[in-house]
Amino acid sequence: MLAAQLDTEKYQVTLYDKKKAVGRKFLVAGEGGLNLTFHSDLEELIAQYFPSAFMTSSLMQFTNEDLRNWLNNIEVPTFVGSSNRVFPEAGLKPIEVLNKLVEHIQSKNVKFKLDTEWTGWNKKGHLCFKDSDDVESDITIFALGGASWKVTGSDGEWAKNFEEPGINILPFRAANCAFAIEWNKNFISTHEGKPLKNIVLKYKKQSSKGELVISKFGLEGNALYALSRSIQDELLTKKSVSIKLDLKPTMTVSQIKAKYKKSKLTQVTDILKEDLNLDRTAIALLKQYSDKETFVDINLLAGIIKSVPITIAATDDIDKAISTLGAIALDEVDANFQLKKIPHSYAIGEMLDWYAPTGGYLLQGCFSMGFALAKHLNELEVE
Ligand SMILES: Cc1cc2nc3c(=O)[nH]c(=O)nc-3n(C[C@H](O)[C@H](O)[C@H](O)COP(=O)(O)OP(=O)(O)OC[C@H]3O[C@@H](n4cnc5c(N)ncnc54)[C@H](O)[C@@H]3O)c2cc1C
């Protein structure tokens, strides 16, 4: 986005990437459905980012609607899917979307230098690249990504280059990731891979609506991803974290009890299935989290249905995370993303320590930062 927006009459722009092709992570994102942004009003959009004050200006300069319009102008029409997530229109593959972006950037006279890894600065402050000549640049923008899915090139190796200039790099941690749960063997052998739909997860004062998927490792899914930053923060100081799972968010405890008691059926499992519309996996989960007496007493079971107590002990491998926390501390950059310790050098995207849940917010945040920085640089008075 930055390369697409920079004024190439004013700047000679060269885009370097250590991989042989650009946008590898963008393509990986496309594998699960390329969720480009989220359709909501601006206030709601901004509220999803942490810290939201850091992202507000960029998001206001280039909103979710601006992104959709811009994509449409480069022949990437989008549609609002279920839960207000925005995707490329049916039939447009992620590689075609990426190609449209690349073609657009190329049409702006931006040079591409691929398979060229930035390794730091020489004594004169020029940029150094592996197996390539040093480069003197007037302005450098780093957009080197986080530290997950290393195969895409976003391996976080760049962080060591910033030690010498004394930039505060916070340790990388997984966000939007799976968490470990110790499942009962019988439960997991039958229910591995099964979803829990239309549930609400509660963690302290936060709650998150969506779905979960049960895996051998534990739990994953958008309802959990949305809480991942806070859970990760608690795991920094505690060995485990408790979350509560509401399997019937549309009903209160009293409504559940009343409906159960009105049932003409006699078996608990049948009543849960037929009258309370809980599926086999939800019912098996209730069995795992309640003793025999609780399971047959709706006065006790209703409380568990609304609040299954789940203990999380760890996160999955960082390389499997959808995004990462950590990297460059936000107070290392000014309001225009300029590195305070390295004038004329800027950092944007996931290499800064901000967080957003899944739902298209990550790409939207990156696009908005690229747009906002390009606008600033286009307006900058240069000698
Ligand atoms: C499985 C998965 C699914 C996802 N799905 C979505 C989704 O549907 N919607 C959404 O909004 N987000 C999604 N994301 C997140 C999103 O893809 C990222 O947040 C986003 O790509 C970050 O953009 P970026 O430009 O900061 O960095 P990246 O896209 O990671 O790009 C960084 C680039 O820098 C290059 N690089 C790194 N180091 C060097 C170096 N030293 N020299 C030269 N080049 C270097 C890398 O090769 C890479 O091309 C997903 C992520 C994953 C892993």
Side-chain angles (χ1 to χ4, degrees):
M1 174 54 80
L2 178 105
Q5 296 297 329
L6 279 174
D7 177 356
T8 42
E9 303 264 302
K10 180 171 174 172
Y11 297 111
Q12 261 180 16
V13 183
T14 309
L15 193 156
Y16 294 84
D17 201 297
K18 70 194 272 184
K19 297 301 276 186
K20 289 196 172 95
V22 291
R24 296 298 95 183
K25 188 171 264 182
F26 191 77
L27 284 187
V28 165
E31 279 171 24
L34 191 53
N35 184 189
L36 292 159
T37 184
F38 193 86
H39 176 71
S40 68
D41 67 36
L42 191 54
E43 212 177 307
E44 229 178 284
L45 184 87
I46 292 171
Q48 297 297 321
Y49 293 81
F50 182 89
S52 53
F54 178 77
M55 295 297 288
T56 303
S57 167
S58 302
L59 292 166
M60 284 177 74
Q61 289 179 64
F62 194 71
T63 68
N64 42 2
E65 282 314 300
D66 293 334
L67 177 57
R68 291 190 67 195
N69 290 335
W70 184 80
L71 288 167
N72 198 38
N73 286 340
I74 61 159
E75 295 171 24
V76 180
T78 56
F79 76 97
V80 181
S82 60
S83 335
N84 285 332
R85 291 167 177 238
V86 174
F87 298 95
E89 229 163 53
L92 257 183
K93 296 192 189 110
I95 185 67
E96 291 169 325
V97 176
L98 179 63
N99 288 342
K100 289 280 180 202
L101 290 169
V102 172
E103 277 164 30
H104 178 71
I105 296 168
Q106 280 167 338
S107 77
K108 308 272 289 198
N109 236 351
V110 171
K111 277 194 217 141
F112 282 68
K113 288 250 169 97
L114 305 180
D115 204 6
T116 311
E117 181 180 352
W118 169 69
T119 54
W121 293 268
N122 67 16
K123 283 188 182 139
K124 289 184 191 154
H126 301 169
L127 298 165
C128 301
F129 296 91
K130 195 172 167 186
D131 304 327
S132 199
D133 292 340
D134 296 349
V135 171
E136 183 179 3
S137 74
D138 296 314
I139 293 174
T140 308
I141 295 104
F142 297 101
L144 306 175
S148 67
W149 287 75
K150 294 184 175 43
V151 66
T152 63
S154 319
D155 55 13
E157 286 293 315
W158 52 261
K160 62 180 184 300
N161 303 341
F162 287 96
E163 279 167 19
E164 169 84 21
I167 308 273
N168 181 17
I169 307 282
L170 302 166
F172 289 109
R173 290 181 293 147
N176 291 301
C177 55
F179 286 92
I181 318 270
E182 272 191 38
W183 300 122
N184 160 312
K185 276 189 191 138
N186 289 338
F187 171 77
I188 197 60
S189 62
T190 316
H191 297 281
E192 184 187 355
K194 297 274 162 53
L196 289 166
K197 293 190 174 176
N198 303 317
I199 53 88
V200 166
L201 270 188
K202 292 177 190 158
Y203 169 70
K204 295 189 174 167
K205 285 182 183 160
Q206 296 179 58
S207 69
S208 156
K209 201 172 152 197
E211 80 174 60
L212 295 171
V213 178
I214 291 162
S215 69
K216 245 192 196 127
F217 179 75
L219 274 177
E220 55 193 66
N222 62 0
L224 190 54
Y225 298 157
L227 304 174
S228 60
R229 187 194 61 81
S230 313
I231 295 173
Q232 273 285 38
D233 283 353
E234 193 170 349
L235 282 174
L236 282 177
T237 54
K238 289 197 184 145
K239 283 199 175 135
S240 64
V241 169
S242 290
I243 54 168
K244 302 278 194 285
L245 167 61
D246 185 346
L247 291 167
K248 206 73 213 161
T250 52
M251 291 172 87
T252 62
V253 169
S254 333
Q255 285 168 335
I256 291 172
K257 283 190 211 169
K259 187 129 198 209
Y260 186 101
K261 286 174 184 169
K262 266 195 208 153
S263 177
K264 293 193 176 97
L265 300 165
T266 50
Q267 296 292 319
V268 178
T269 308
D270 292 342
I271 305 173
L272 294 176
K273 195 169 163 228
E274 301 302 329
D275 294 290
L276 290 167
N277 286 326
L278 292 172
D279 65 18
R280 281 182 65 225
T281 304
I283 296 170
L285 197 69
L286 284 173
K287 279 189 183 153
Q288 186 184 325
Y289 283 92
S290 53
D291 53 28
K292 274 186 190 157
E293 282 151 38
T294 308
F295 192 70
V296 295
D297 181 349
I298 190 58
N299 291 322
L300 301 172
L301 188 63
I304 308 281
I305 294 173
K306 290 293 292 173
S307 189
V308 183
I310 292 180
T311 304
I312 286 172
T315 47
D316 205 353
D317 179 2
I318 190 167
D319 202 40
K320 293 186 190 155
I322 288 174
S323 67
T324 49
L325 298 166
I328 297 179
L330 296 184
D331 58 3
E332 290 286 353
V333 294
D334 68 15
N336 295 310
F337 309 115
Q338 181 166 212
L339 289 158
K340 292 175 190 166
K341 290 174 187 143
I342 319 176
H344 312 300
S345 291
Y346 299 76
I348 51 171
E350 213 181 302
M351 69 185 294
L352 292 171
D353 181 33
W354 56 279
Y355 162 84
T358 54
Y361 301 107
L362 292 157
L363 286 174
Q364 174 71 53
C366 294
F367 279 126
S368 291
M369 286 171 141
F371 180 94
L373 178 53
K375 185 168 177 286
H376 166 73
L377 293 174
N378 290 342
E379 287 164 3
L380 199 70
E381 281 192 24
V382 284
E383 294 135 30

